[in-house]
Amino acid sequence: GGVGKTTLLHVFNNDLEKKAHDYQVVIFIEVSNSEALNTMEIQQTISERLNLPWNDAEPIAKRARFLIKALARKRFVILLDDVRKKFRLEDVGIPTSDTNSRSKLILTSRYQEVCFQMNAQRSLIKMQILGNDASWELFLSKLSKEASAAVESLGLQNTSREHAMAIARSCGGLPLALNVIGTAVAGLEESEWKSAADAIATNMENINGVDEMFGQLKYSYDSLTPTQQQCFLYCTLFPEYGSISKEQLVDYWLAEGLLLNVCEKGYQIIRSLVSACLLQASGSMSTKVKMHHVIRQWGFGWSTSQMQSFLFNQGWPWIMLHQLENGMKLPRISIMSNNITELSFSPKCKKVTTLLMQNNPNLNKMSYGFFRTMSSLKVLDLSYTAITSLPECDTLVALEHLNLSHTHIMRLPERLWLLKELRHLDLSVTVALEDTLNNCSKLHKLKVLNLFRSHYGIRDVDDLNLDSLKELLFLGAAANSFAF
C-alpha cells in the first residue's frame, strides 16, 4: 500500500485521454472491493462515461448485459483500480477481450495472484519502492521554497539537512508516506527539524507490530488543528472501499457541533485534509473524497485507541452485534455496509452521538426500544435499508440529523415531534411513505427537509402545514407525487 499504483493508473488515464483517436472511451473505475464488490457503483460509472440512462430499479444482471453490448461496439480502455479479489467482468458489464481485440483492460492490485486470476498477467508491471535519490526529490518537492533552500544548503553545519534526510529515509521509499510527511513538515524553520525528526522516530518506536509508515502518519495528524483532527477521524467511520460525499461529511460535522453552523468551514477542512494528503479527491465531479486504505487503517486504529469511534467490519456481524447489544461507551459507531437483517435488541449506548447504519439493504426489523438509551445521539443515518417503520424515538432529544432516504418507511412515528433539535430530515425516495402525521410542521428548528421523489410531490406540500418552519432553508420535492 502506498507504493504508487493508483498514481500510475491516473498517469495512464490522463495520457490515454489525450489520444482520443486511438480509443473511443477511457473509463477509470475505483473498484476497492473489500468484502463485497460494489457492482452497482461500477455500473453507474460505466453508464455515466457512455452517457447512458440510469434506472435504480433495473436488475444488476440485466444492466450488465446491456453494458456489455454497449461497450462491445466501441474501442475502449477500462482502468480498474485496487482490485482485491477476483470477479467476473461479465457480472458488472465489462466484455472480456481476446488477443485480437483493440480494447484494453488495465488493473492494479496488491496481490499478484489476483492479476493471474483476472487473466491480466500478459503485461505484468511489478511496482517498486523509490530509490534514495527519487525519494529525496519527491520529499523536497513537498517543502516550501524557504524550507527546501534551507535543507539544500551545502554549509558544513547544516544539521537541518541531516534531519530532513533522516525523515525522508524513514518513509521507506513509499510515495504515499513521502507525500504525507513532506506536506506535514513543508514549512519547518531551521530550528524545528531536529524536534520533528525526533518526534517521528519516537512515534515509530512507540507503535509495535504495525507498518512503519504509521509513525509518519501520527506526526502528520499531530500537525492538524483539533477540529481538523476530529473531522479526519470521522472519515474513518466509512468503509475502506468507495467514496465519501463531501456534502454528507459537512452535514454530519454540523450536526456533531464540529463546525458551529458554518458550512464553508467544513469544505475548507476537507480541502486542508486533501492538501495534507490525508484525503484524496475522488470522481470526476469533485463532490467526493476517499481515504487511502493505509491512512484509514492508522486513523481508525488511533480513533479506537482514543475511545472515539468504532466501526464494525463486514464478515463478523455476530461479534459486532453482541458488542453493540451489551453496550458501548464510544461516541461514534458505524455498522454501515454490512449484511444485517435485523436488530432485535436494545443496545446500551448512552454516550453515542453518531450512529451510521446505512447501506444495509436487508435490514428490515429493529426492536421497539432500540433507541431507548440514546439521549445523546445527534446523527442517525438509516438510508438504503429495508425498514418499514422507525422505532419509537422519544429519547432522541438531541438528534439533529436524521436520514431515512431510500427506505420502505410507511409513516413517521407519532411522537417524532419531540425531536425539538432536529435540523436535517431526509425523506427522499420514500415512495411508501403515506403519512407524516403532521410531524414535520412541528419541527421548528428544521433547516433541511428533503421529500424529493417521496410520496409527497409539490402539489402535496401544502398538506404538510410547513408555514411554521421559520428556519427552513431547503425543501426538496418533485413536480409530481410518486404514489401509486
Side-chain angles (χ1 to χ4, degrees), residues 120-139:
Q121 70 272 22
R122 298 172 195 165
S123 300
L124 197 63
I125 301 174
K126 294 186 177 182
M127 300 292 293
Q128 304 293 333
I129 60 174
L130 298 180
N132 290 336
D133 292 342
S135 295
W136 181 241
E137 183 178 346
L138 177 58
F139 180 78

Side-chain angles (χ1 to χ4, degrees), residues 413-463:
E414 291 185 12
R415 298 169 67 82
L416 187 77
W417 62 272
L418 291 173
L419 279 56
K420 300 294 188 181
E421 297 299 317
L422 199 63
R423 288 167 168 79
H424 185 120
L425 177 58
D426 193 342
L427 296 169
S428 59
V429 198
T430 53
V431 295
L433 183 64
E434 297 175 353
D435 195 353
T436 68
L437 302 177
N438 206 25
N439 265 309
C440 295
S441 64
K442 300 174 183 177
L443 303 171
H444 296 153
K445 290 190 177 181
L446 212 58
K447 294 179 180 290
V448 174
L449 175 59
N450 194 350
L451 294 163
F452 181 69
R453 290 184 62 191
S454 72
H455 176 90
Y456 291 89
I458 287 179
R459 290 174 300 180
D460 308 301
V461 167
D462 287 341
D463 298 335

Side-chain angles (χ1 to χ4, degrees), residues 1 36 56 91-92 102 106 121 160 193 208 246 255 321 362 368 372 374 381-382 406 434-435:
D56 279 328
D91 290 345
V92 300
R102 296 182 63 187
I106 303 175
Q121 70 272 22
S160 297
W193 281 101
N208 297 319
K246 293 181 181 178
L321 293 182
N362 298 314
Y368 179 84
R372 185 170 295 158
M374 300 186 187
D381 197 327
L382 279 159
H406 294 269
E434 297 175 353
D435 195 353

